[in-house]
C-alpha cells in the first residue's frame, strides 16, 4: 500500500493535478477544464496526451521511413497506401478515448492507496528501485504475452475483438499507425497487466506513468516492419512475423516469453531490399 511506504495518497493527487496543469494548460484553450471532476480532468489529459504521442510519433516516423529515407528501410512494394494508414488512424482514434480511461482507473487506485505504488525513490532506495522495476517489467511481459496469446486462442475473443487488429496481415498493410488500431476493449485488455502489477510489485509512480504512455511509442515502433536486430528486443521484425503467421511472437518488449513457451520464430530476411 502507498501509505505503508510513507507517502499519503494526496501526493499522488497533487502529482496528477500537476500533469493536468502542464498539458491541459498548454494545449486546451481557456480554463474551463479546471471545473471538471479530478478523474475527468485526468481522462482529458490522458486523451490529449495519447493523441499527441500517437500522431507525432506516427507522422514523424512515417515521414522518415516512407519519404525522407524512402526505400532505405522498406522495399517500395511494402509501403502501405495512404488509404490504409487513414483507416488505421480512424480505428485508433475511435478507440483512444477508451484506452485513456485505463490510466485514470490506475491513478484512482494509486491515489486511494489501494496499490503498492510508492512516490519517492528514497522510500525504497535505488538498488531496490531497479529490482522492483525488473520485477514489474517481468510481470507485465508475462501478462501481456498470455493476454495476447489468449486473444488468439479463444475463438470468440479473436473473432469479436482481436481480428480488428489482424486485418493488417501483410507488410504493405502495416504502418506505425497500426500500432493502436485495435478494438478498444482489446487494447485495454492488453494494457491491463500494467495495472495488475501495481497490486503485486512496488512500483514507482512516475515510472509507471511513463511506461503506460511509452506504450504508444513502442506499439508504433513494432509495426513499422523494420527489423532492428537488437536481441532480445521484440522488435518489428518479430512482430511482422506475428501478423503474417498469427501463431508466433506474442511477446511485447522481449522474445523471452515466446522462447520459454515455444512460440518464438526468428525473422528470416522478411524485408529484403530491392
Amino acid at each position: 500500500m502507498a501509505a505503508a511506504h510513507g507517502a499519503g495518497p494526496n501526493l499522488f493527487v497533487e502529482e496528477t493535478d500537476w500533469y493536468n496543469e502542464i498539458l491541459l494548460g498548454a494545449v486546451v484553450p481557456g480554463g474551463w477544464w479546471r471545473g471538471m471532476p479530478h478523474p475527468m480532468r485526468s481522462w482529458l489529459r490522458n486523451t490529449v496526451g495519447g493523441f499527441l504521442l500517437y500522431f507525432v510519433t506516427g507522422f514523424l516516423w512515417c515521414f522518415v521511413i516512407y519519404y525522407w529515407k524512402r526505400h532505405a528501410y522498406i522495399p517500395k512494394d511494402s509501403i502501405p497506401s495512404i488509404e490504409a494508414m487513414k483507416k488505421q488512424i480512424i480505428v485508433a482514434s475511435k478507440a483512444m478515448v477508451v484506452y485513456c480511461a485505463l490510466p485514470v482507473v490506475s491513478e484512482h487506485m494509486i491515489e486511494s492507496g489501494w496499490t503498492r505504488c510508492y512516490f519517492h525513490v528514497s522510500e525504497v532506495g535505488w538498488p531496490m528501485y531497479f529490482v522492483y522495476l525488473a520485477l514489474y517489467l517481468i510481470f507485465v511481459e508475462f501478462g501481456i504475452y498470455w493476454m495476447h496469446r489468449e486473444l488468439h486462442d479463444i475463438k470468440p475473443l479473436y473473432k469479436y475483438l482481436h481480428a480488428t487488429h489482424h486485418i493488417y496481415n501483410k507488410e504493405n498493410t502495416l504502418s506505425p499507425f497500426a500500432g493502436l488500431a485495435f478494438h478498444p476493449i482489446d487494447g485495454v485488455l492488453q494494457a491491463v497487466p500494467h495495472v495488475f502489477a501495481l497490486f503485486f510489485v512496488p512500483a514507482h509512480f512516475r515510472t509507471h506513468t511513463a511506461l503506460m504512455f511509452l506504450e504508444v511509442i513502442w506499439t508504433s515502433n513494432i509495426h513499422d516492419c523494420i527489423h532492428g536486430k537488437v536481441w532480445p528486443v521484440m522488435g518489428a521484425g518479430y512482430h511482422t512475423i506475428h501478423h503474417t503467421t498469427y501463431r508466433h511472437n506474442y511477446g511485447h518488449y522481449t522474445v523471452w516469453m515466446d522462447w520459454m513457451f515455444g512460440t518464438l520464430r526468428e525473422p528470416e530476411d522478411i524485408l529484403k531490399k530491392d
Side-chain angles (χ1 to χ4, degrees):
M1 301 289 283
H5 292 287
N10 64 308
L11 290 177
F12 300 115
V13 174
E14 291 170 6
E15 181 80 358
T16 52
D17 271 335
W18 181 56
Y19 296 160
N20 295 340
E21 283 291 335
I22 290 175
L23 183 59
L24 298 180
V27 301
V28 177
W32 56 268
W33 52 270
R34 292 187 178 90
M36 299 171 68
H38 177 70
M40 289 299 296
R41 293 199 303 272
S42 295
W43 171 81
L44 182 61
R45 176 249 301 165
N46 292 335
T47 303
V48 171
F51 273 116
L52 284 174
L53 276 176
Y54 176 70
F55 284 115
V56 169
T57 302
F59 280 116
L60 179 61
W61 197 225
C62 286
F63 172 75
V64 171
I65 63 178
Y66 300 147
Y67 296 98
W68 184 30
K69 298 290 186 179
R70 190 175 180 86
H71 309 331
Y73 302 114
I74 305 291
K76 62 182 180 181
D77 59 352
S78 294
I79 296 177
S81 67
I82 298 294
E83 189 62 30
M85 289 189 281
K86 284 181 180 177
K87 289 180 180 178
Q88 291 163 10
I89 290 171
I90 291 170
V91 173
S93 296
K94 289 179 179 179
M96 187 73 74
V97 295
V98 179
Y99 297 158
C100 293
L102 184 62
V104 177
V105 173
S106 70
E107 288 173 13
H108 175 72
M109 293 189 300
I110 292 166
E111 291 165 357
S112 301
W114 299 344
T115 71
R116 302 191 67 187
C117 213
Y118 61 92
F119 192 82
H120 297 291
V121 175
S122 60
E123 295 171 43
V124 298
W126 282 105
M128 290 309 298
Y129 166 84
F130 287 109
V131 170
Y132 290 143
L133 176 59
L135 292 173
Y136 176 95
L137 291 173
I138 292 169
F139 185 102
V140 168
E141 187 77 4
F142 179 86
I144 292 178
Y145 171 87
W146 279 106
M147 184 66 74
H148 190 184
R149 186 167 172 175
E150 292 309 307
L151 282 162
H152 280 265
D153 291 346
I154 300 174
K155 299 307 179 185
L157 292 181
Y158 182 83
K159 180 179 179 180
Y160 296 109
L161 298 180
H162 201 51
T164 300
H165 185 61
H166 270 278
I167 63 173
Y168 315 113
N169 58 4
K170 296 180 179 62
E171 293 162 22
N172 64 355
T173 62
L174 286 167
S175 82
F177 290 116
L180 289 181
F182 289 91
H183 186 288
I185 297 176
D186 182 0
V188 169
L189 287 174
Q190 293 199 58
V192 156
H194 278 282
V195 179
F196 283 172
L198 300 175
F199 293 96
F200 299 98
V201 181
H204 181 240
F205 178 63
R206 288 182 180 177
T207 302
H208 163 74
T209 302
L211 287 169
M212 288 285 280
F213 280 90
L214 282 173
E215 289 286 340
V216 180
I217 299 173
W218 181 252
T219 55
S220 295
N221 175 262
I222 64 174
H223 287 85
D224 63 15
C225 293
I226 299 174
H227 183 33
K229 299 180 181 179
V230 181
W231 188 90
V233 175
M234 177 65 76
Y238 290 98
H239 198 71
T240 302
I241 289 174
H242 173 73
H243 272 266
T244 56
T245 72
Y246 291 55
R247 308 304 303 172
H248 302 90
N249 303 353
Y250 299 101
H252 191 56
Y253 294 121
T254 73
V255 303
W256 289 334
M257 294 298 161
D258 283 285
W259 174 76
M260 288 173 60
F261 297 109
T263 53
L264 179 63
R265 181 173 176 182
E266 297 283 347
E268 297 175 355
D269 299 326
I270 59 172
L271 292 176
K272 293 180 180 177
K273 294 181 180 180
D274 289 343

